[in-house]
Amino acid sequence: MSTDDAFAAAYRAHYWAVSRFVARRLDAPAHEVEEVVADVFAIAWRRRAELPDAPLPWLYGVARNCLANAVRGKGRYRRLLHRLTHHEAAHGRQTVTGPEAERPGSWVLEALDRLSPADQEVLRLTAWEDLTVEELAVALDCGRSAAAMRLHRARRRLRAEIDRTRTAVSVPGGGDGHA
């Protein structure tokens, strides 16, 4: 199979997986997600001679780099939005939702959000993208044992965050139950 045919096959087989991967990580309108996905496949086209036999983990690695570039480019805009949000909250314009508005599993996402971006990405690649440790190593551009160790440590830190959250919820007032 020629490199052009291999690229075409990878594009057909993995376009939607890469699109979902980008959309889950980029809090942006659909057209911005499509721009990042287009960048991923433009790079894959230029580097089609390097395309491995199992291209999806490699494409995820390219997508991670494209996402990093997109986020860096939007950094100033995001910092401005963050400052505006904090300003509005400080001036009493905050929206409060009740417990019934909580999404199922949101406590897991909150625990995940408290982890480092690197830990979050390792966990998302294995849970959301269903990558094996070998595929994780390709996506992260590291060795298999390094990927396995990063996954182990990220899982351990997530478990600690979940346990910490559970402890905080089970003792809401911080008291010992005595009046």
Side-chain angles (χ1 to χ4, degrees):
M1 177 182 303
S2 75
T3 57
D4 291 0
D5 292 338
F7 170 82
Y11 181 84
R12 281 191 305 277
H14 302 301
Y15 177 85
W16 291 112
V18 172
S19 293
R20 287 187 303 271
F21 175 90
V22 171
R24 284 192 287 262
R25 285 160 177 78
L26 188 65
D27 185 21
H31 72 275
E32 291 181 28
V33 170
E34 291 168 4
E35 287 175 20
V36 173
V37 174
D39 288 343
V40 170
F41 283 101
I43 291 168
W45 172 256
R46 286 192 304 272
R47 295 176 56 194
R48 65 191 178 276
E50 301 170 38
L51 206 61
D53 291 336
L56 186 58
W58 184 83
L59 289 168
Y60 285 155
V62 172
R64 289 178 70 238
N65 292 333
C66 290
L67 280 164
N69 289 338
V71 168
R72 265 193 303 277
K74 292 177 164 278
R76 189 175 311 132
Y77 176 72
R78 288 180 189 261
R79 284 190 297 273
L80 174 62
L81 283 180
H82 183 71
R83 282 196 312 258
L84 288 173
T85 302
H86 278 46
H87 176 75
E88 287 179 1
H91 289 88
R93 288 176 238 158
Q94 187 173 6
T95 302
V96 179
T97 57
E100 68 280 356
E102 186 173 317
R103 293 184 333 214
S106 63
W107 58 274
V108 174
L109 294 176
E110 289 170 8
L112 185 66
D113 283 344
R114 288 191 296 270
L115 298 178
S116 72
D119 283 349
Q120 290 178 33
E121 186 62 8
V122 167
L123 293 168
R124 287 178 178 139
L125 283 166
T126 55
W128 292 359
E129 311 311 332
D130 203 26
L131 295 188
T132 65
V133 172
E134 290 78 15
E135 293 168 331
L136 179 65
V138 172
L140 298 176
D141 195 26
C142 65
R144 185 200 181 288
S145 35
M149 183 56 71
R150 288 175 66 179
L151 177 59
H152 171 74
R153 289 177 178 161
R155 285 178 174 160
R156 187 179 66 216
R157 287 190 274 266
L158 179 62
R159 168 57 53 204
E161 282 299 323
I162 290 170
D163 289 346
R164 191 174 67 75
T165 301
R166 232 188 254 145
T167 303
V169 169
S170 64
V171 187
D176 59 5
H178 292 88

